[in-house]
Amino acid sequence: MNVFRHFRDQIAAVLAALAEAGVLPADSDFGRVTCEPPRDAAHGDMATNAALVLAKAAGTKPRDLAGKIAEGLRALDSVAAVEVAGPGFINIRVADRFWQDRVADILAAGPAYGDADFGQGEPVNVEFTSANPTGLLHIAHARGTVFGDALAALLEKAGYAVTREYYVNDWGGQVDILAESLLKRMRQLQGEAVPEAEFEGLYPGREVIDAAEAALKLPPGERPDPMSGSDENRARAGEFAVGYMMDRIRHDLAALGVRHDVFTSERSLVEAGAVDAAFADLEGRGLIYTGILEPPKGKLPDDWEERPQSLFRATRFGDATDRPLKKSNGDWTYFATDIAYHQDKAKRGANRLIDVWGADHQGYIPRMTAAVDAVTRGTATLDVKVIQLVRLIRDGTVVKMSKRAGNVVTVRDVVDEVGKDVVRFVMLTRRNDAPLDFDFARVTEQSKDNPVFYVQYAHARSHSVFRQTKDVLPDIDTGHASLVNAKFGTLTNEGELSLIKKLTMWPRVIESAAETHEPHRIAYYLYDIAADFHAHWNRGRDEPELRFVRPDDLPLTLARLALVKAVATVIASGLVLFGVAPAEEMR
RNA sequence: GGCCCCGUAGCUCAGCAGGAUAGAGCACAGGAUUCCUAAUCCUGGUGUCGCAGGUUCGAGUCCUGCCGGGGUCGCCA
């Protein structure tokens, strides 16, 4: 149950009655009426703007109308008090009994608590990672990967049918360069002295050497020939190297706990004629023409020359300029194949497309959304989520990385060092469009300053309470049925009630995070719950009567254990969404 | 020059898709801690929400224009 939605419905019923009575116009629109937690808890549990929104249409002052609505709300059993405040807000104080009963809801729903259905089974395609198969995943890819995976999980929880997808850029010039890098390394491994200068402009990573070693172990018939410069041989080398890199990338993704449902190959799209088809489709609709682009203002590229080229009319769909589809050598531009790719995703059934991109591709967004609009005839929408940079901090200083020098920190390095759970949680503690610092010392610290630890510890502590219970009260039945039927009316302490209220926010948090595509909200919420739980636990130090386990009062103990279980349920549910394994013990 | 993102407390950042007196952590200050259930706890915030207009009953939030930082701008992906 989403408690705010529940009370919004109650408010709507009161408003309908007022409309019936002629206080409100019969055709009143309640669409703008909200029911939200007030910022200041002192104002009550819920607040509605109903009177403010409807006063004008009713021809009365907001406060007068508020008084009438308040009257209707007071009649509800679940409402303890109602008051009109400020310009006409209506503050509702919900009855303790209502809150207490929610604990049973949470336990009954279990891990499904917070599931929403507004996705209605609608297909959504989330494309993320999509790192080029010319090297390993490095740390910048980790953030986009974790974000995409968590967003996908979040959308699933909200009721969408989600496909997790990886676009493999295994076509074009970069594969040729990779092939050349591989062949050169093979020659080097065979003992030939290859001058360092020859590797200029090629892929420098250690993994290319690994790939070369693997290539040399192939049976002669399948092995690329290091000495041959033929196109066929180069193609074979490229194919092998791409396959090798993708194997390792998949391996590293698995180490991060990520599994994509679909890997789509750019090459296969080109070879199947999908790009030709998309081009012909747009051309047939008059959306492609041959023209000359204005040179970019500001800094002019050295080798700029005006030339006519095939342009997509992106300006018709809101982009600032039309965009080229073919390179001077006649090959498709990346944009052209990407159009076909997005069309392909839409054809496979998803009208909601989400792409997770690095910040350096931001400028590409308008043309891609324009293209999706054009190629799907407005039936599909593209939402691009931009991931800002990650800075690694070690010993208080930023870790410098240079792709050219080949000293990038890989996903594998970091996962091996701190564990995938830490990587995943930390990567989700910031908005995707804000830069993130990943401080090795901080993320592994065992203190309340470290959110990962703090949240995990709250979950572990809840399990600890049950372990303690078994020692003190070996005969107590803490099974599901026993807890669900506990006497929740005994949970009257303020700390207990505020904990319950916080737990009932979970469905609302899920909804807002899913709608805005912002998983970081979950992280903040989990931290919040953990803080409240720890704080309540600590109250038991000074006031032993507040402790969860009370050997002198079994009904109370059961109700409190039910609450602890509810806390564990919600925290675990959030962690699972993040792909983090909830800890039952801290070690 | 065009476009995109960001600008909130000393620092790092939230701000619930417009709501009441803008929050958290760190840092800093004061206090508690031979109590206990596992990794301390409590208290303390006078912020031009970059600036200026606009929309609205109401703007940190939406619109416009500036300022500052970052990214990007045909034949890379």
Side-chain angles (χ1 to χ4, degrees):
Chain A
M1 174 196 277
N2 179 331
V3 294
F4 297 95
R5 186 151 297 167
H6 171 79
F7 277 94
R8 195 198 168 280
D9 290 346
Q10 304 285 325
I11 292 162
V14 170
L15 295 175
L18 288 174
E20 189 83 10
V23 176
L24 290 169
D27 60 345
S28 292
D29 175 14
F30 303 150
R32 290 172 58 214
V33 173
T34 60
C35 177
E36 298 175 313
R39 275 194 178 155
D40 188 345
H43 289 144
D45 299 313
M46 317 249 166
T48 177
N49 62 353
L52 293 165
V53 173
L54 298 169
K56 196 175 265 184
T60 57
K61 289 181 185 166
R63 284 195 67 106
D64 295 346
L65 179 57
K68 291 183 176 135
I69 299 171
E71 208 173 307
L73 290 171
R74 281 192 193 98
L76 299 170
D77 286 345
S78 51
V79 170
V82 182
E83 62 190 32
V84 177
F89 284 102
I90 300 167
N91 293 325
I92 302 169
R93 198 167 296 280
V94 175
D96 288 354
R97 185 71 228 179
F98 179 85
W99 293 121
Q100 290 154 352
D101 288 343
R102 301 286 73 78
V103 179
D105 286 358
I106 297 168
L107 295 186
Y113 181 62
D115 285 8
D117 58 2
F118 64 83
Q120 309 237 322
E122 198 186 324
V124 179
N125 184 295
V126 183
E127 183 217 321
F128 59 102
T129 314
S130 299
N132 291 336
T134 53
L136 299 182
L137 293 181
H138 50 87
I139 193 64
H141 295 122
R143 189 174 182 193
T145 297
V146 168
F147 174 86
D149 195 41
L151 176 57
L154 189 52
L155 291 171
E156 278 170 345
K157 197 165 175 67
Y160 290 97
V162 180
T163 299
R164 290 168 168 82
E165 181 148 342
Y166 187 124
Y167 183 42
V168 185
N169 296 118
D170 54 358
W171 183 85
Q174 57 172 351
V175 177
D176 294 338
I177 295 171
L178 178 64
E180 202 184 322
S181 310
L182 180 84
L183 295 172
K184 225 158 237 176
R185 288 297 181 191
M186 287 171 74
R187 276 163 38 204
Q188 196 175 40
L189 286 169
Q190 285 175 328
E192 185 179 328
V194 183
E196 267 312 301
E198 281 202 32
F199 288 99
E200 188 71 25
L202 301 184
Y203 293 107
R206 162 76 219 182
E207 62 272 20
V208 179
I209 301 172
D210 295 341
E213 275 172 9
L216 287 170
K217 287 181 190 147
L218 289 172
E222 297 169 27
R223 186 192 309 156
D225 178 0
M227 304 310 290
S228 164
S230 76
D231 286 352
E232 191 202 338
N233 186 61
R234 181 181 297 269
R236 177 182 290 187
E239 194 177 333
F240 173 80
V242 165
Y244 176 87
M245 294 303 169
M246 284 310 297
D247 279 349
R248 288 191 58 179
I249 286 172
R250 283 176 204 250
H251 205 67
D252 291 352
L253 287 170
L256 253 187
V258 175
R259 192 188 171 85
H260 293 77
D261 302 309
V262 177
F263 287 78
T264 298
S265 147
E266 181 182 14
R267 173 178 295 280
S268 69
L269 282 175
V270 173
E271 288 174 355
V275 189
D276 296 291
F279 188 91
D281 174 33
L282 291 172
E283 195 169 40
R285 291 158 60 201
L287 295 174
I288 292 177
Y289 68 103
T290 302
I292 298 173
L293 278 182
E294 296 277 314
K297 294 183 175 158
K299 51 174 184 185
L300 189 66
D302 298 340
D303 56 349
W304 175 268
E305 60 179 72
E306 284 196 349
R307 68 177 189 85
Q309 50 192 342
S310 290
L311 299 173
F312 163 62
R313 293 190 191 276
T315 46
R316 286 222 189 144
F317 303 89
D319 197 2
T321 178
D322 293 335
R323 303 292 181 177
L325 298 170
K326 283 186 180 173
K327 304 182 195 175
S328 52
N329 67 4
D331 277 349
W332 298 117
T333 58
Y334 179 78
F335 181 48
T337 57
D338 220 5
I339 291 174
Y341 171 52
H342 283 75
Q343 184 176 41
D344 183 63
K345 285 196 278 193
K347 275 184 180 165
R348 281 184 270 129
N351 284 334
R352 289 172 184 269
L353 304 179
I354 298 174
D355 286 5
V356 179
W357 293 356
D360 52 340
H361 292 139
Q362 262 186 141
Y364 196 78
I365 295 173
R367 86 186 65 173
M368 202 62 241
T369 49
V372 167
D373 194 4
V375 89
T376 67
R377 297 168 192 259
T379 59
T381 57
L382 171 66
D383 185 7
V384 179
K385 307 306 287 185
V386 165
I387 304 296
Q388 279 292 349
L389 295 180
V390 178
R391 289 198 309 174
L392 293 178
I393 313 279
R394 193 186 287 283
D395 303 326
T397 55
V398 177
V399 179
K400 292 252 193 301
M401 282 180 277
S402 157
K403 213 169 183 179
R404 282 174 66 88
N407 66 344
V408 294
V409 177
T410 63
V411 165
R412 174 52 66 125
D413 294 338
V414 179
V415 169
D416 285 349
E417 181 170 343
V418 305
K420 69 124 173 137
D421 287 340
V422 167
V423 173
R424 294 189 63 124
F425 195 94
V426 171
M427 293 286 178
L428 293 166
T429 54
R430 283 282 174 273
R431 300 171 50 105
N432 55 287
D433 52 5
L436 171 93
D437 282 352
F438 188 98
D439 186 329
F440 282 100
R442 256 196 96 175
V443 301
T444 50
E445 188 176 280
Q446 301 219 337
S447 80
K448 78 172 293 248
D449 304 342
N450 176 4
V452 194
F453 174 79
Y454 198 58
V455 171
Q456 283 284 33
Y457 180 34
H459 185 265
R461 178 170 261 176
S462 69
H463 279 259
S464 166
V465 171
F466 279 87
R467 287 194 291 271
Q468 301 282 353
T469 307
K470 282 219 158 48
D471 291 344
V472 182
L473 299 165
D475 297 328
I476 195 169
D477 175 8
T478 58
H480 185 261
S482 174
L483 293 181
V484 170
N485 292 310
K487 303 275 176 274
F488 298 112
T490 58
L491 299 175
T492 54
N493 175 266
E494 205 176 312
E496 291 164 351
L497 285 168
S498 75
L499 206 43
I500 296 172
K501 290 174 189 179
K502 197 66 72 73
L503 292 173
T504 64
M505 299 279 284
W506 181 230
R508 186 182 151 86
V509 171
I510 293 287
E511 280 182 32
S512 71
E515 285 180 17
T516 55
H517 298 168
E518 293 183 352
H520 74 275
R521 293 186 187 194
I522 306 288
Y524 280 87
Y525 173 76
L526 291 179
Y527 185 84
D528 212 22
I529 286 283
D532 281 9
F533 182 63
H534 288 307
H536 189 67
W537 187 92
N538 278 306
R539 276 181 213 116
R541 305 175 112 174
D542 296 333
E543 305 171 62
E545 66 275 13
L546 289 183
R547 292 180 187 175
F548 298 118
V549 182
R550 292 282 305 276
D552 56 324
D553 191 339
L554 290 186
L556 180 59
T557 297
L558 273 178
R560 287 180 175 175
L561 287 176
L563 175 57
V564 171
K565 182 88 178 181
V567 169
T569 300
V570 169
I571 292 179
S573 170
L575 289 175
V576 166
L577 211 47
F578 274 12
V580 174
E584 298 194 357
E585 270 181 284
M586 303 305 284
R587 293 174 184 279

